[in-house]
């Protein structure tokens, strides 16, 4: 058969094609595509190709033309406490230990119930989806309630099966926390958007015996471990006084360090401790805004990167940040790193983008599914409009995403191929619901306002 005898190619029917001005896949080559399309079917990215070719090759049930937009992978918030949204602004201008002991823990003791966590987490999901965050690594009481909220919003959540030694409304002691965490883990096991990790709160709230149990369970169940570590100087002094060694040394001696270990903060780290994190393949969830606001310090990001430690970025909770805004967090991380190191070349825009996408996906063990725009991965995507006058002109969309844009430039957020947020509207959340949640809880929390 000659070429001219061949039948015309049949177009493949797919659910969705997004025609974008730019696509930033976030790959090893720092690729930037112009006039490209991303093709989505059954939750997955099935093709990434020039729009001219996509128009021939595919027929889409739905076509979205994003001709002033850059399409990027969904942002992943690598450390948060979603349910703290309703405590936003409740205790500002306090150092960590006073903030926790005198304000946050008393408020949590009085207020936090399963209902509270579901309501506050829904508010968090709304805030995060509108800012381009598609997945969050959480740590809070009643993780099953956080999962319910994420599931309703259509967001991906990595639940922390949280552990403390002291009693709360949620659990009586460490074994009870673990038991309740496993119940949440079991009941959400089959859900494609929900996964979990063990989340012992911090070295100053967890005994050696409990850390040992956490390690055994993590190994048995194949789960990661997510904890606060070396957030403040006080924590380290307190740890040395109580245990004779710095907290990270204690954690290492107990055998917890490894590729499933995420340390939130890592503000105060000595060079040999950075080497140790690198050697064990641990991850740092850098939370620059929370660290600055609580006066904790600035994490040694340049040294961590130089030593090949996987660094991702988290907001921490809304009571210490006070936003769940991954765009401002990414920008702050890049600027701080340059300023502290007195080197404008460190942490360039592509690397900052990796921290909020693929690096975070690696940290939570989901990099085979999310974190980049790649054929076969879940279609967790964000469209960001770059044509507003306030951020014009645009010479380089990657630079724009990191240094010029804010979350207000996000127009569309998809999770697993489903449009969850677009131009001020949520697929599954009514603004009136959020209003009611705020009206119910704000009066109860007001008395704890500092
Ligand atoms: C056991 S649930 C999580 C627990 O952590 C508290 N928390 C929130 N932010 C921080 C932080 O920056 N460092 C330490 N602990 C934090 C939160 O209030 C919950 O009690
Ligand atoms: Zn935290």
């Amino acid at each position: 058969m000659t070429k001219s005898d061949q039948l015309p190619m049949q177009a493949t029917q797919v659910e969705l094609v997004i025609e974008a001005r730019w696509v930033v896949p976030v790959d090893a080559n720092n690729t930037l595509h112009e006039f490209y399309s991303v093709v989505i079917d059954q939750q997955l990215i099935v093709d990434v190709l020039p729009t001219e070719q996509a128009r021939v090759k595919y027929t889409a049930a739905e076509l979205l033309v994003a001709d002033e937009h850059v399409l990027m992978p969904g942002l992943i918030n690598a450390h948060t406490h979603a349910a703290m949204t309703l405590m936003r602004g409740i205790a500002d201008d306090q150092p960590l230990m006073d903030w926790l002991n005198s304000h946050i823990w008393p408020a949590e003791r009085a207020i936090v119930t399963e209902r509270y966590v579901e309501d506050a987490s829904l508010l968090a999901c709304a805030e995060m989806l509108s800012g381009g965050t598609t997945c969050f690594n959480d740590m809070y009481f009643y993780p099953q309630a956080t999962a319910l909220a994420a599931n309703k919003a259509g967001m991906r959540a990595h639940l922390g099966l949280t552990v403390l030694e002291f009693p709360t409304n949620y659990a009586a002691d460490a074994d009870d926390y673990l038991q309740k965490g496993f119940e949440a883990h079991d009941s959400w096991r089959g859900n494609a958007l929900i996964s979990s990790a063990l989340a012992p709160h911090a070295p100053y709230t967890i005994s050696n015996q409990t850390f040992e149990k956490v390690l055994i369970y993590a190994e048995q169940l194949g789960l990661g471990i997510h904890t606060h570590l070396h957030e403040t100087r006080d924590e380290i002094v307190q740890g040395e006084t109580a245990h004779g060694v710095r907290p990270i040394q204690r954690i290492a001696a107990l055998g917890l360090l490894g590729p499933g270990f995420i340390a939130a903060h890592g503000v105060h780290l000595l060079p040999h401790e950075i080497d140790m994190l690198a050697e064990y393949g641990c991850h740092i969830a850098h939370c620059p805004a929370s660290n600055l606001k609580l006066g904790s310090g600035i994490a040694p990001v340049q040294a961590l990167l130089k030593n090949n430690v996987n660094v991702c970025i988290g907001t921490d909770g809304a009571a210490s940040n006070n936003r769940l805004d991954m765009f401002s967090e990414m920008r702050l991380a890049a600027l701080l790193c340059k300023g502290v190191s007195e080197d404008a070349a460190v942490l360039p825009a592509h690397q900052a983008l990796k921290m909020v996408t693929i690096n975070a996906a690696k940290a939570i063990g989901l990099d085979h599914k999310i974190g980049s725009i790649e054929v076969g991965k879940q279609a967790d995507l964000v469209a960001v409009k770059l044509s507003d006058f306030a951020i014009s002109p645009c010479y380089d969309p990657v630079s724009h995403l990191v240094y010029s844009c804010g979350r207000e430039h996000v127009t569309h957020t998809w999770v697993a191929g489903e449009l969850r947020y677009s131009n001020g509207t949520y697929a599954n959340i009514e603004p009136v619901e959020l209003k009611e949640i705020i009206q119910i809880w704000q009066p109860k929390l007001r008395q704890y306002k500092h």
Side-chain angles (χ1 to χ4, degrees):
M1 198 158 65
T2 63
K3 217 174 180 187
S4 56
D5 294 335
Q6 282 175 0
L7 295 170
M9 195 176 72
Q10 192 82 44
T12 305
Q13 177 76 37
V14 290
E15 289 170 7
L16 170 65
V17 171
I18 307 168
E19 293 184 352
R21 171 68 194 271
W22 297 283
V23 174
V24 180
V26 184
D27 61 11
N29 302 321
N30 297 338
T31 303
L32 169 66
H33 297 302
E34 196 166 1
F35 301 112
Y36 250 60
S37 288
V38 175
V39 183
I40 294 142
D41 201 57
Q42 298 190 11
Q43 308 178 0
L44 299 177
I45 297 165
V46 297
D47 211 343
V48 182
L49 73 174
T51 291
E52 258 183 22
Q53 294 174 21
R55 287 179 181 169
V56 177
K57 203 169 162 194
Y58 295 101
T59 307
E62 195 190 338
L63 173 71
L64 187 103
V65 179
D67 52 359
E68 299 176 347
H69 304 65
V70 57
L71 195 67
M72 64 174 292
L75 306 175
I76 303 170
N77 188 342
H79 174 72
T80 192
H81 312 277
M84 296 186 84
T85 45
L86 287 162
M87 297 177 194
R88 193 193 314 271
I90 208 173
D92 295 329
D93 313 322
Q94 306 279 325
L96 176 72
M97 292 302 176
D98 293 348
W99 179 81
L100 278 175
N101 287 316
S102 307
H103 303 280
I104 298 300
W105 282 339
E108 286 179 338
R109 211 172 296 131
I111 297 292
V112 171
T113 58
E114 198 159 355
R115 178 81 250 166
Y116 167 87
V117 173
E118 191 180 337
D119 285 353
S121 300
L122 189 67
L123 186 60
C125 289
E127 181 180 358
M128 289 193 275
L129 280 174
S130 67
T133 298
T134 52
C135 176
F136 60 102
N137 183 31
D138 202 65
M139 181 200 287
Y140 211 63
F141 312 101
Y142 303 100
Q144 72 276 19
T146 309
L148 272 175
N151 191 54
K152 176 177 164 61
M155 257 190 107
R156 211 177 283 281
H158 196 59
L159 303 176
L161 311 180
T162 199
V163 190
L164 278 169
E165 302 284 350
F166 59 77
T168 57
N169 291 337
Y170 172 55
D173 56 25
D175 286 336
D176 196 23
Y177 280 92
L178 284 164
Q179 201 46 49
K180 292 196 160 119
F182 296 141
E183 282 164 21
H185 173 69
D186 285 346
S187 63
W188 287 94
R189 200 197 295 268
N191 189 298
L193 298 184
I194 307 293
S195 50
S196 38
L198 282 147
H201 171 257
Y204 50 92
T205 50
I206 300 289
S207 66
N208 285 352
Q209 199 193 11
T210 299
F211 271 131
E212 280 163 359
K213 283 185 192 170
V214 163
L215 177 61
I216 290 168
Y217 287 125
E219 284 175 347
Q220 272 178 7
L221 297 169
L223 299 179
I225 300 174
H226 170 203
T227 194
H228 294 101
L229 188 66
H230 285 212
E231 182 175 359
T232 61
R233 282 191 204 284
D234 276 2
E235 170 193 335
I236 294 166
V237 171
Q238 196 181 319
E240 280 174 328
T241 309
H243 300 278
V245 288
R246 287 163 64 90
I248 192 172
Q249 207 60 55
R250 180 175 151 233
I251 298 279
L254 289 167
L256 273 84
L257 298 187
F261 186 86
I262 304 179
H265 304 296
V267 172
H268 302 282
L269 292 166
L270 299 173
H272 77 273
E273 294 171 340
I274 293 176
D275 291 344
M276 198 158 59
L277 288 168
E279 198 180 306
Y280 282 100
C282 303
H283 316 272
I284 291 285
H286 174 40
C287 302
S290 172
N291 297 153
L292 289 175
K293 185 159 178 290
L294 295 172
S296 305
I298 299 173
V301 173
Q302 190 194 9
L304 288 162
L305 295 174
K306 217 184 220 168
N307 287 278
N308 295 318
V309 176
N310 183 46
V311 180
C312 41
I313 295 178
T315 56
D316 214 351
S320 62
N321 185 303
N322 296 1
R323 318 156 57 107
L324 306 181
D325 176 354
M326 289 298 290
F327 272 91
S328 64
E329 213 67 35
M330 167 170 66
R331 181 171 190 269
L332 180 60
L335 300 190
L336 272 178
C337 190
K338 293 171 197 299
V340 168
S341 57
E342 297 183 40
D343 182 354
V346 300
L347 195 31
H350 266 291
Q351 198 170 10
L353 267 190
K354 284 179 184 152
M355 286 182 173
V356 295
T357 54
I358 192 68
N359 292 10
K362 268 183 208 150
I364 60 175
L366 291 180
D367 51 317
H368 59 295
K369 280 177 85 172
I370 57 172
S372 60
I373 299 181
E374 228 179 289
V375 171
K377 282 199 175 180
Q378 292 277 305
D380 288 13
L381 302 167
V382 183
V384 188
K385 191 173 168 207
L386 302 187
S387 56
D388 273 14
F389 295 129
I391 53 167
S392 290
C394 173
Y395 300 103
D396 172 358
V398 174
S399 150
H400 245 55
L401 284 172
V402 178
Y403 301 123
S404 307
C405 286
R407 64 179 173 183
E408 66 276 17
H409 301 114
V410 169
T411 57
H412 300 75
T413 305
W414 292 265
V415 180
E418 298 289 337
L419 186 61
R420 298 306 188 187
Y421 168 84
S422 71
N423 294 307
T425 303
Y426 298 94
N428 306 328
I429 308 171
E430 293 298 333
V432 65
E433 252 183 296
L434 301 177
K435 242 186 206 168
E436 263 175 37
I437 286 172
I438 296 159
Q439 275 165 1
I440 290 168
W441 292 105
Q442 190 178 11
K444 299 187 203 296
L445 277 153
R446 189 168 275 127
Q447 60 187 300
Y448 297 95
K449 165 93 179 85
H450 166 68

